[in-house]
Amino acid sequence: MATLLNIHPENPQNRLIEQAAQTLRDGGLIAYPTDSCYALGCALGNKAGIERIARIRQLDSKHHYTLMCHDFAQLGQFVNVGNSDFRTIKSMTPGPYTFIMKATKEVPRRMMHPKKHSVGARIPQNATALALVEAMGEPILSSTLLLPGDEDPLNLAEDVIARLGNDVDVVIDSGVPGLVPTSVIDFTGSEPEVARVGAGDVSRFGEG
């Protein structure tokens, strides 16, 4: 059964953040809150962790996994941000947005889109998620906790424990996160394209 960590949503306890980070370093899989519902997360190079996420969510090879980053500088190490997109993306972070961009060599190939060599990246507006990424010193490979057959992602720790208590190693309870998945903007083409309308305002892209 997964370990439940009760972490303060505004002032995360360092000891508990470090416990969750150590689980990730040790090859574990966690469920943690963001500013847009719960996410499943594992360490970047954790092949078995990616396979566990894919199995839980029944994902195919074309799924865009997300790099949960701490700040814009870290995000820029793992994705190629063009000059024309720099200001747009920076003005939207932190926030409930996932940006699809070409991955750099720092990203394991198994988490890239097989043909586009792209990956999702985001900076959440959530103290617990940011503290966890900071403790790791690198992005957390993540995917929205939307289970097969469900219309909405999970957003309560008790529901995560009930549904996935035997499938993940740690569940973080840090208050109720956002209820809606991120908006997804694809920057791999000639113009930014809204791939999914979610929690964030996308009206600047002519949608929303």
Side-chain angles (χ1 to χ4, degrees):
M1 180 61 70
T3 299
L4 179 65
L5 300 180
N6 289 288
I7 297 180
H8 194 282
E10 296 176 7
N11 298 293
Q13 303 95 315
N14 290 336
R15 175 181 60 84
L16 297 179
I17 289 292
E18 180 55 32
Q19 184 177 340
Q22 192 59 50
T23 296
L24 292 171
R25 296 187 199 105
D26 291 342
L29 180 65
I30 70 168
Y32 68 104
T34 74
D35 51 353
S36 60
C37 58
Y38 265 84
L40 293 169
C42 67
L44 266 186
N46 186 352
K47 180 181 179 182
I50 296 175
E51 292 171 350
R52 289 172 71 183
I53 293 173
R55 185 169 62 251
I56 289 169
R57 290 205 52 204
Q58 296 181 15
L59 301 173
D60 61 26
S61 62
K62 296 181 178 63
H63 178 73
H64 271 113
Y65 290 94
T66 297
L67 296 170
M68 197 71 69
C69 299
H70 180 261
D71 53 30
F72 196 81
Q74 187 181 67
L75 182 146
Q77 296 175 28
F78 292 86
V79 292
N80 292 308
V81 183
N83 292 335
S84 60
D85 300 326
F86 179 89
R87 287 186 178 180
T88 300
I89 293 172
K90 189 157 190 186
S91 71
M92 299 169 74
T93 57
Y97 300 95
T98 298
F99 308 106
I100 305 297
M101 289 176 282
K102 297 290 186 182
T104 68
K105 294 179 181 178
E106 302 292 325
V107 179
R109 289 187 67 86
R110 68 178 65 95
M111 68 170 294
M112 297 182 194
H113 188 282
K115 292 184 178 179
K116 296 180 179 179
H117 302 297
S118 52
V119 69
R122 64 173 303 228
I123 303 169
Q125 199 164 21
N126 179 283
T128 298
L130 288 174
L132 187 57
V133 177
E134 185 174 25
M136 286 295 290
E138 65 178 22
I140 298 171
L141 187 155
S142 302
S143 183
T144 300
L145 214 176
L146 178 62
L147 295 178
D150 287 4
E151 291 187 7
D152 300 308
L154 298 182
N155 66 343
L156 295 174
E158 54 262 40
D159 291 340
V160 178
I161 285 282
R163 302 280 297 276
L164 293 176
N166 295 317
D167 297 306
V168 300
D169 302 298
V170 163
V171 175
I172 294 177
D173 186 351
S174 189
V176 179
L179 306 178
V180 181
T182 58
S183 288
V184 178
I185 300 99
D186 190 335
F187 283 87
T188 60
S190 57
E191 295 289 337
E193 183 176 329
V194 177
R196 180 179 72 196
V197 177
D201 178 16
V202 294
S203 58
R204 69 169 70 190
F205 302 106
E207 300 198 30

